């Protein structure tokens, strides 16, 4: 993977907004805090993210189903090198 194809917080945000229409969304790139860990790169971005999200798409679903919505929406980023994703859901 090249530097130009690494996932960005902005790209994850746009994808989640389009797929899930959240009423609350925050995407943080925490890659720099994981330097030296598995899956990290020397660039300090594009590998470890935290998603805080909420909205009607998550209502009435189990925690596993809620997380699956996020994972499914971001699959193309996982395929492109997203290594770690922390998900916090607010219903």
């Amino acid at each position: 993977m090249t530097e130009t194809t690494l996932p960005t917080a902005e790209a994850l945000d746009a994808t989640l907004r389009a797929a899930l229409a959240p009423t609350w969304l925050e995407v943080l790139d925490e890659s720099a805090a994981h330097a030296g860990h598995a899956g990290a790169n020397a660039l300090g971005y594009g590998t470890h993210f935290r998603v805080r999200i909420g909205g009607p798409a998550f209502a009435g679903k189990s925690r596993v189903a809620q997380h699956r919505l996020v994972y499914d929406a971001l699959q193309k980023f996982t395929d492109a090198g997203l290594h770690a994703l922390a998900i916090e859901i607010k219903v």
Side-chain angles (χ1 to χ4, degrees):
M1 178 170 3
T2 65
E3 183 175 335
T4 58
T5 62
L6 287 173
T8 65
E10 294 79 14
L12 271 67
D13 183 287
T15 298
L16 289 168
R17 288 186 190 282
L20 302 173
T23 54
W24 179 67
L25 178 61
E26 182 179 21
V27 180
L28 305 168
D29 186 339
E30 298 181 336
S31 302
H34 295 275
H37 296 182
N41 61 33
L43 301 171
Y45 67 91
T47 59
H48 294 70
F49 291 88
R50 178 172 305 276
V51 170
R52 296 177 176 142
I53 190 168
F58 301 99
K61 292 183 174 51
S62 70
R63 176 178 255 185
V64 171
Q66 292 171 340
H67 283 224
R68 178 56 49 207
L69 287 172
V70 175
Y71 286 124
D72 289 350
L74 299 179
Q75 184 63 50
K76 69 180 180 182
F77 298 105
T78 302
D79 295 343
L82 174 71
H83 174 72
L85 183 64
I87 302 171
E88 299 172 21
I89 296 178
K90 180 178 176 182
V91 179

